[in-house]
Amino acid sequence: MSEFHKDKQLQEEGKLEEAIAACEQALELNSNDSWTHHHMGEALSKLGRFDKAVTAYRHAIEFKPDFSWSYHHLGDVLAQQEQWEESAIAFGKAIKLNPEHFGTYVGLGNSLAKLGKLDEAIVAYRRATELNPEADWIYHTLANAVRQRTQSDLAEAIASYRQIIELNPNNVKAYQNLLEVQPDNWEACLQLGNILVEQRKLDEALAVYRRLVALSPLEKHYQQLGELLGKLSHWDEAIATYRRILELNPEAYEYHYQLGEAIYQRVNQNPQTFFNDYNLGKLPHIKYQIFDPNLPEVCLINDEKFLQATDHLDDATYSVELYRVYLRRSLSEAEKQGCIDWLQIPGNSRVLGLNAWRTKAFPEFHQLLEISIISVCLEQATACYRRAVELCPSHYQSYYRLANILIEQENSQAALSVYHQLSLRLAEVGRLDEAVACFQKVPQIIPLDRQEVYESLWKGFNQLGTIDQQYSYYPTDLQSSEIEQYFVRKSKYTVMNIWNLSEDERGFLEKNNIYLANIHLIAQDQIALEEIYINNFRQDNQPKELVKLYPKTEYSKFVTHQHLNQINAYQQSIVETGYIYSICPVSGKIIRSNQSFYDTGWLPIISYRFVCYETYYLTVGHFWGPKLFIYFPRLELIIHLSHPHAEWQAKDVINRLKANMVSYWQDTLNYISTPTKKVAAILGTIPNIGHYFWNEVTGIYYLHENEILSKLDLILIEPHEYFNLGDIFPEVFDKMRRIADKKSVFKTILGENYSALRATNVVVKENLASRVYTGSVKKCSQSVLEEIEQTRKKHFPLLWFGIRTHNKSWVSQVEGIVNIIKSLATNFPNLGVVIDGWSRIESEDPYGESMIAKDRVTLKKILDIIPSSIGIYSTIGSMIYEKVAWAHAIDLYVIPLGSGSTVVSWIANKPGVMHANSTINQGFREQVTNGRENSVPPVFIAVENVVDIADPQVPPYNLSYDMDWKVIYTEVIKIINGLELPNL
């Protein structure tokens, strides 16, 4: 390689010091070579050594005085040193040699502007725009110079900004500058706001829309402001905005609806502050009269008026009225006597009593007060919805929201009336199909007798009542969705965290004879403890030990997420014995269960029912399968056991558990009364290839490796089966059953009497990866294998690019990937590129097909720019097993950190570069690196090189991001230089 090529390549690789050394060596051989001096100047300037760079460029000019670029770069370096006179001279000489390069005119203009020679600078900028009329940024520079020269005649600056907008209608800076010189230009303000919304820069757009309504207070502009305020959850300002719109157009039903929505959301955000901020406590009070059934809402009761009205009552009658008015119920004799006794204590009074109810912890009153506040606050929204349907009798959204509020206020009959009213109005105008559809969409308002059935069945399942299966009022057509809605409304849970118990919570457990030491033991996860449990039930003198041929290894001693080090030993106990083991929280007695209830929510979760002194459910699951929480039906108590998972909605899991058990009450009764059960494993539970392979397939492999896979009686496979399990483990082919959905899994477990588990692990073993590759190659067609082999022989390096077009994506990936490929191709003429995206699985996947189409649009954008001489191959839409074969053929990869790493990192174990937003980047590196036995660690793009694209509507882990493609390019070059050249 020539010295010329050597120092240039070193510069492109970012090895600037080495490039300078190469230049110095070359100059020792030929000190008159202008190119070497020029390259020396480039490297020095990149390192900020401007004095030496100036010297190098002057030497280059000395030996080649007709080369315009040396003058141009000299001008750049002198400008960096703020030597504006010399910089302008250098740019001027460059222009004489090459009068057609727009960038040199820009450089000259910048130097002249710094010297205060604005007229000359403007001439230079104008010439630059003539040479490159498509470069909108030059117009910015020209306009700024014109504005700096004069504030009295800004016509040329305005024209420049308009030219920028014509070239690039989404140029935010151009609109901002235009508004600076034309502050009353509301049309520009409107366009800027719309662009910022499209770019999801909502906070910036909000400031612009506020300015817009100040400049042009039109109805449509207020409407845009209101919609944006809603997106940003600025409900108070949204309420004020919609009220202003209604002043402009009081007959617009949609504004009444939107005002109702803003109020509804604000109330749900914090009803107490809404009640206070909007002075609802000052609403006209219903006149209180003794024993009057028409009572005011609890939150509107005036204590002083109540005391005046009841002043003549004796203490016993007063106590009855107190409970009726403030607690909306009658009181027991014991409560009445307690109230009388308290009032007769010297120093106590009725005023003090009411004040205590208001200010101290009185759960029953404060719960009613909270409900009352919400009800009163929602009436503000209700008025808006009612007005909307008066103005537009067929406005669906208002009817539905109105009905939902009535349900929240426990006014089922009124809710039904609203639904029926909507349907009848639709039918009256001949819209019969919509009327029927409305009836079909109407949520079922649960009759009271069914509510009693739900309670009776649930209590019967948990030793809190009895179930008579012959009772005719136990219907068989119960709908789990209706039942879940009931339990969501009625269930009041107490939630604790085992690692952060307050003194009151400890006292509550002690009062109910639940020993904290027993709870801590239930949370433990050890093989030795499992063996103690198991041997408690042995029927001979032979100790029972669990298989330990290949114990689960510690994920990492320094792992951030400690749940990855949990081995979930209970899973092995279920496989080998058919039971999960625990202890009674009250007595400490060792107990076991083979009763498993599968959750029908998004995450894979199983609740195991234990019957002892205190019936409870031990719930396990999430991606990794640890023990999550325990739930006590008698106390409606949830205790979280696993700190990293406390954020997951245990209440939702329990409400679904109640709904499903009650909905299939006959199957549930048969199931919990049948002592012996077979064992079933569940997988394919998560729509994510990474978790399917990393957590579920590895769990099955652990059972295989320890020679206990054969103990499973059945393997239930949900639709998210990215790798065909039978291809990896042919020995269980006859035990596999593919099943439609989670509800079907729940029914199968109960109906066919299985004790279920989800086997998990967090490490991909070499042998497992080999099995996947072998099984994948067998499924590939001969033509695919031949294409892969020919591609591998033809190209070096063969680089895999993963694209991502949904959440947490690299926003400039098209430009970035193209630039990386082009730059690599200059130094590696045999470069080959595999572009990867969404895959196909062996079952029907409509969502996958939509993502494949989306990824192919991105691929086309890349192919439209890339020279046809570069070998580009696509695996977008390929079968997963075909991708595994391709992944083994590549030399390295560049991919987003996520599930796309499965085939190239965890299976093929190739070197490569991963990039992600800051949350994923910092939180998931160790999972990728440590998740593979003998892994080739990826290179992760540093967090400081990545900029998250802020979006208040998107959680941090799902944010898209951007970065300079050169950062990836530098790392790719390093990896390629470390690769061995192939023997072809």
Side-chain angles (χ1 to χ4, degrees), residues 516-558:
L516 190 54
N518 290 338
I519 302 298
H520 279 288
L521 193 61
I522 292 172
Q524 291 296 307
D525 176 37
Q526 300 175 49
I527 288 288
L529 182 60
E530 293 294 315
E531 291 180 337
I532 293 173
Y533 289 158
I534 292 168
N535 281 280
N536 181 74
F537 293 93
R538 74 172 190 240
Q539 297 178 347
D540 52 38
N541 294 324
Q542 187 66 35
K544 168 66 177 176
E545 294 185 8
L546 295 173
V547 174
K548 306 183 192 69
L549 297 176
Y550 295 93
K552 288 185 181 177
T553 55
E554 192 173 55
Y555 191 76
S556 168
K557 292 181 180 179
F558 308 105

Side-chain angles (χ1 to χ4, degrees), residues 35 109 121 181 213 438 523 587 599 638 681 755 758 763 859 903 909 912 929:
W35 278 109
V181 297
V213 297
C438 178
S587 68
D599 183 49
I638 294 168
S755 180
R758 178 171 165 267
V763 177
L859 173 63
V903 295
N909 205 21
T929 303

Side-chain angles (χ1 to χ4, degrees), residues 747-762:
K747 292 166 63 178
T748 299
I749 292 169
L750 266 62
E752 299 183 23
N753 205 38
Y754 283 102
S755 180
L757 77 147
R758 178 171 165 267
T760 61
N761 203 350
V762 290

Side-chain angles (χ1 to χ4, degrees), residues 205-213 219-231 237-238 241-242 245:
L206 180 58
V208 174
Y209 281 141
R210 285 170 175 157
R211 179 176 178 180
L212 173 64
V213 297
E219 174 188 328
K220 61 182 180 181
H221 296 158
Y222 275 109
Q223 168 65 3
Q224 288 175 287
L225 174 61
E227 288 180 359
L228 183 55
L229 289 166
K231 289 179 181 178
E237 190 177 351
T241 299
Y242 283 119
I245 301 174

